[in-house]
Amino acid sequence: MSVLEQLNDKQREAAMQLEGPVLILAGAGSGKTRVLTNRTAYMIDEAGINPWNILAITFTNKAAQEMRERIDRLVGFGSESIWVATFHSTCVRILRRHIDLLGYDTNFTIYDTDDSKSVMKEVLKRLQIDTKQYPEKRFLNRISNCKNELSSVEDEERDALGDYADEMFAKVYREYQAGLKKNNALDFDDLLMKTVELFTSFPEVLENYQNRFLYIMVDEYQDTNTAQFELIRLLSAKNKNICVVGDDDQSIYKFRGANIRNILDFEKVFPNAKVVKLEQNYRSTQTILDAANAVIANNSSRKDKKLWTDKGEGEKIRFITVDTAYEEAERIVDLICADKRAGKCDYRDNAVLYRTNAQSRLIEEKCVMAGIPYSVVGGVNFYSRREIKDILAYLKTIDNGKDDLAVRRIINVPKRGIGATTISKLADHAAATGQSFYDCCVAAEEILGHGRAAEKIAEFVELISVFKSKLEFITLEQLVDDILERTDYEAMLEESDPDDAQERIENIGELVNKVVAFEEQNDEPTLSQFLEEVALVADIDNVDENADKVMLMTLHSAKGLEFPNVYLAGMEDGLFPGYMSICADDPEEIEEERRLCYVGITRAMDKLTISAAGSRMIRGETTRNPVSRFVKEIPQELMQGKAPAKMQPKVQPQAGPVKVKPFVTKAKPFAYLTKGSQISSTGAPDYGPGDRVAHMKFGQGTVTEMVKGARDYEVTVDFDNAGVKKMFAAFAKLKKL
């Protein structure tokens, strides 16, 4: 019996094509892992290929382990000789043997993120670069991008001539690499880059591995970056027996450096390549596949293919429109409960997918209120996120000051120069006297004596006292805003963790939404009541880890998974696709978002529900957006429920244009250190009163006033659709028309 008998015709064709370059375009749910493992078994059992000559590369350790186990079961004896590994582990094995040729010892250390950050801190300190203006992570991210693109220190120095920011970056890049080499260390990106350097600098080493790996297979090829592409190209250059498997329609990791051109241009790089399309889907109903096909067909940068199945037509896609995001979460949870009560599903059969992590908050709360066990995949529960716990700790301290954990959490957040020794002395005194930690802070001068430490503690106590004094005169929303304003908390996020800052700020905005909703739902809302409600909603620690759970996750986290019932929430233009993608000049941004939508749709096996809200709260203000363009790309005959051209709430919140609170960062301006960027923007903008401008979120409008401030220009714009807005020029990034 042939190992290929269990494959369909196209899968069998792909598995039997062993010689020359092969591109297997494996649509969602088409059984690509089965093809790869059976292809490997066929190569050994029926084609007589030595296992020693086979290299199979995956992206994750989990995928490599799964492939290894399947191959071992199919092949049996001799399978241990096959290299089944990730890109990085493959490179480590090669470098352990030969990196001495590049001036390193073969017992090199591999640095993790924290190690790399420590090296960068030393470099920036030595070069006297202000890390508040130019954070370490910004440099590290750009260095990572350079290495992914195989851009060396010398390349960056050559390209930087005449540009101060780029010259500074090149100097940091050189010092960072020198620091690594001094420690005989490589960072994660070096593993790929140094292997490519080894192969190009020492052809005899490359030829040795070309003779070893006569047959090469690469999984998830659409996710490869330039360094990974070049590594594969070099290894396969002699024998040309390269088989790559991937789906250009599921290329959703551009932000990580993935280059979709690698799969789209495969036939150009490898002439005479054999292309096999796997279009039979074993996961979803035909209705779901027809919807996915219709959406992705609007992308121009793709290989033509059309998924089909023999599972049958299945149920129509359920499209739900509600007035608010609150109702959306309620409706989704009600539908899951109804199906569960009717015996149509277990909780684990349901997944709620969304574009941003901040969207999980309402759904989590509704799950808790309904008694539904759930798990947030690829992230932490909303009220467990660092920034949310920080703001809640401030509120708890303001409320009564008896929560020692809350006080100690935020006494030095943002940093106030209060050292661990000082905190320890106060904590010891509190334990010895039975006082609360906050009461000891109030009496810090008596406990610590006169000095800088006591002064810093006094400043913290004064801050909390100011908040307490305002409590009966302002709303809870205003209190949260005041905390953010006086502590410069968002600026701290921008400076300490710039790459995750925007998502964390969005989460804070979602907490503001919660505060606003609480005040609207209670006649005489108090801070104590709010904290009590949050504590009850956030009490998820008692959920049994082994129980049925509804899965909540972002669309990026859902790739590679499947569920009988999928709910796509927040399908509105401005949210998905986001404003940044809509307003970008690059059409590839929308195509990337559309591929993400395609991934979401194809996670559904039997039932797909799509929902959109007529209004949604962003940082405490109500906004309205039309239904996502991706929903409108689905043929109406496939759906229950009609997608209107533009959604409006049944009750208008007020006359006139909807107000949207503009986000204004309190962080000091700093260079983003992307290639070609300027160090600062201290000069006047290139527009003035009377000029027409465009904003990525609010659209087009006319500048009516400009006022020069201490650090930036305050610009007033009368937008055609969004009304009058005031914002800072550096953040607004208005484009003159």
Side-chain angles (χ1 to χ4, degrees), residues 2 15 26 54 68 93 127 159 167 290 293 297 301 303 335 364 372 458 518 536 544 549 592 615 665 677 688:
S2 171
I54 301 173
R68 164 60 69 190
R93 290 178 69 175
L127 295 178
D159 294 344
E167 286 180 345
D290 286 346
N293 289 332
S301 298
K303 302 277 190 181
L335 289 170
E364 288 183 57
I372 294 179
F518 172 80
L536 292 173
D544 182 2
K549 292 183 180 181
E592 176 100 353
S615 63
T665 179
S677 66

Side-chain angles (χ1 to χ4, degrees), residues 583-629:
C583 299
D585 292 333
D586 189 356
E588 290 184 4
E589 294 295 326
I590 288 292
E591 296 213 349
E592 176 100 353
E593 291 280 285
R594 186 175 282 111
R595 290 193 292 270
L596 191 56
C597 181
Y598 173 84
V599 167
I601 293 172
T602 54
R603 298 313 93 194
M605 300 166 68
D606 303 316
K607 292 172 65 175
L608 174 64
T609 301
I610 296 174
S611 59
S615 63
R616 190 173 295 272
M617 212 176 261
I618 306 293
R619 292 188 67 82
E621 297 289 339
T622 300
T623 62
R624 294 198 299 268
N625 291 312
V627 173
S628 171
R629 63 195 64 195

Side-chain angles (χ1 to χ4, degrees), residues 19-194:
E19 304 300 321
V22 181
L23 169 60
I24 302 175
L25 289 172
S30 61
K32 66 180 178 63
T33 304
R34 180 193 301 175
V35 173
L36 282 176
T37 53
N38 281 272
R39 185 179 195 269
T40 304
Y42 175 78
M43 292 167 74
I44 297 169
D45 291 347
E46 300 186 36
I49 295 171
N50 191 328
W52 172 266
N53 297 134
I54 301 173
L55 170 64
I57 297 181
T58 66
F59 265 81
T60 65
N61 290 319
K62 180 180 178 182
Q65 182 179 355
E66 180 184 354
M67 186 177 292
R68 164 60 69 190
E69 291 172 353
R70 289 199 191 187
I71 289 174
D72 287 347
R73 287 197 300 268
L74 285 170
V75 175
F77 180 77
S79 65
E80 69 279 357
S81 298
I82 305 170
W83 268 32
V84 181
T86 64
F87 273 100
H88 291 93
S89 60
T90 297
C91 291
V92 169
R93 290 178 69 175
I94 294 171
L95 292 173
R96 287 294 182 201
R97 293 185 180 183
H98 307 286
I99 199 171
D100 56 318
L101 296 172
L102 299 178
Y104 292 76
D105 292 337
T106 54
N107 64 338
F108 60 85
T109 300
I110 301 172
Y111 274 2
D112 61 17
T113 302
D114 289 338
D115 296 328
S116 296
K117 193 170 183 179
S118 296
V119 174
M120 181 58 70
K121 282 183 178 179
E122 293 177 4
V123 168
L124 298 184
K125 183 178 180 180
R126 187 163 60 249
L127 295 178
Q128 297 183 324
I129 293 175
D130 182 3
T131 55
K132 289 185 177 180
Q133 190 173 12
Y134 309 111
E136 299 98 337
K137 200 167 183 179
R138 189 66 64 184
F139 284 105
L140 288 170
N141 284 345
R142 182 168 168 184
I143 288 174
S144 177
N145 291 337
C146 287
K147 291 179 178 180
N148 287 338
E149 293 297 318
L150 297 177
S151 182
S152 66
V153 170
E154 293 74 21
D155 293 331
E156 292 300 308
E157 288 175 336
R158 183 179 60 251
D159 294 344
L161 292 177
D163 186 295
Y164 176 77
D166 287 350
E167 286 180 345
M168 178 176 65
F169 167 74
K171 184 180 294 186
V172 171
Y173 189 5
R174 177 170 288 282
E175 290 294 313
Y176 172 76
Q177 288 303 104
L180 289 179
K181 191 166 186 179
K182 177 177 176 291
N183 297 336
N184 194 41
L186 303 179
D187 65 20
F188 214 54
D189 297 307
D190 275 329
L191 298 176
L192 288 162
M193 190 174 185
K194 291 298 179 184

Side-chain angles (χ1 to χ4, degrees), residues 477-624:
E477 180 191 9
Q478 290 170 330
L479 176 62
V480 173
D481 285 342
D482 200 25
I483 292 170
L484 296 172
E485 176 86 26
R486 287 180 173 270
T487 62
D488 263 0
Y489 187 85
E490 293 175 352
M492 179 201 74
L493 293 178
E494 291 273 8
E495 293 173 358
S496 65
D497 197 9
D499 294 291
D500 294 329
Q502 186 57 44
E503 182 172 318
R504 293 187 183 280
I505 290 170
E506 289 174 0
N507 290 336
I508 292 172
E510 187 62 20
L511 180 63
V512 174
N513 293 347
K514 170 65 179 177
V515 172
V516 171
F518 172 80
E519 292 189 298
E520 289 176 349
Q521 294 161 8
N522 292 273
D523 293 332
E524 295 181 4
T526 67
L527 178 57
S528 297
Q529 290 172 339
F530 173 74
L531 291 171
E532 179 181 335
E533 178 170 311
V534 167
L536 292 173
V537 171
D539 187 15
I540 55 176
D541 294 333
N542 295 325
V543 176
D544 182 2
E545 292 294 324
N546 298 315
D548 257 356
K549 292 183 180 181
V550 175
M551 296 291 113
L552 311 182
M553 68 188 79
T554 64
L555 286 148
H556 280 101
S557 298
K559 187 172 179 290
L561 303 177
E562 59 183 34
F563 302 92
N565 306 328
V566 167
Y567 294 81
L568 293 184
M571 294 295 288
E572 303 132 32
D573 267 17
L575 186 59
F576 187 35
Y579 284 115
M580 297 289 284
S581 298
I582 293 172
C583 299
D585 292 333
D586 189 356
E588 290 184 4
E589 294 295 326
I590 288 292
E591 296 213 349
E592 176 100 353
E593 291 280 285
R594 186 175 282 111
R595 290 193 292 270
L596 191 56
C597 181
Y598 173 84
V599 167
I601 293 172
T602 54
R603 298 313 93 194
M605 300 166 68
D606 303 316
K607 292 172 65 175
L608 174 64
T609 301
I610 296 174
S611 59
S615 63
R616 190 173 295 272
M617 212 176 261
I618 306 293
R619 292 188 67 82
E621 297 289 339
T622 300
T623 62
R624 294 198 299 268

Side-chain angles (χ1 to χ4, degrees), residues 225-434:
N225 60 32
T226 299
Q228 290 161 335
F229 162 79
E230 185 62 12
L231 178 71
I232 294 302
R233 190 193 67 78
L234 288 169
L235 283 171
S236 62
K238 182 177 180 180
N239 303 294
K240 300 292 193 300
N241 297 327
I242 171 71
C243 174
V244 302
V245 184
D247 183 6
D248 51 302
D249 290 334
Q250 295 187 74
S251 179
I252 59 173
Y253 295 120
K254 181 180 178 182
F255 67 97
R256 293 181 186 170
N259 186 353
I260 192 174
R261 301 311 310 180
N262 290 347
I263 191 168
L264 293 179
D265 296 340
F266 184 81
E267 296 105 309
K268 295 179 182 178
V269 178
F270 298 96
N272 304 317
K274 171 75 172 178
V275 180
V276 182
K277 297 179 183 179
L278 305 183
E279 298 172 291
Q280 182 175 0
N281 176 283
Y282 292 91
R283 174 188 300 154
S284 308
T285 65
Q286 191 60 55
T287 296
I288 291 170
L289 296 181
D290 286 346
N293 289 332
V295 171
I296 203 64
N298 291 278
N299 273 8
S300 57
S301 298
R302 66 182 296 262
K303 302 277 190 181
D304 183 53
K305 56 184 173 298
K306 193 171 185 179
L307 296 178
W308 63 275
T309 184
D310 57 11
K311 280 186 64 173
E313 183 177 333
E315 296 184 23
K316 286 190 174 184
I317 295 166
R318 183 166 46 193
F319 179 62
I320 298 171
T321 57
V322 293
D323 288 344
T324 66
Y326 182 90
E327 292 177 56
E328 178 189 46
E330 190 171 55
R331 185 74 182 278
I332 288 172
V333 170
D334 285 348
L335 289 170
I336 293 173
C337 286
D339 282 349
K340 173 67 174 176
R341 285 195 302 268
K344 296 180 180 179
C345 71
D346 292 324
Y347 288 129
R348 67 170 64 92
D349 295 331
N350 299 277
V352 184
L353 311 182
Y354 36 79
R355 183 63 182 87
T356 65
N357 277 311
Q359 291 172 254
S360 75
R361 194 268 297 178
L362 286 173
I363 302 168
E364 288 183 57
E365 290 190 3
K366 288 301 177 183
C367 284
V368 172
M369 292 169 64
I372 294 179
Y374 70 93
S375 178
V376 179
V377 179
V380 295
N381 293 312
F382 182 82
Y383 290 105
S384 298
R385 291 166 184 157
R386 185 189 81 194
E387 60 278 9
I388 302 304
K389 291 175 76 71
D390 285 347
I391 303 305
L392 290 178
Y394 269 103
L395 294 176
K396 291 175 183 177
T397 301
I398 295 166
D399 189 40
N400 59 32
K402 299 297 183 183
D403 188 336
D404 285 3
L405 288 177
V407 179
R408 292 185 64 173
R409 181 181 182 90
I410 48 92
I411 192 171
N412 209 28
V413 176
K415 290 183 179 179
R416 301 183 172 90
I418 301 173
T421 302
T422 300
I423 294 173
S424 180
K425 286 181 180 179
L426 292 174
D428 290 343
H429 187 83
T433 60

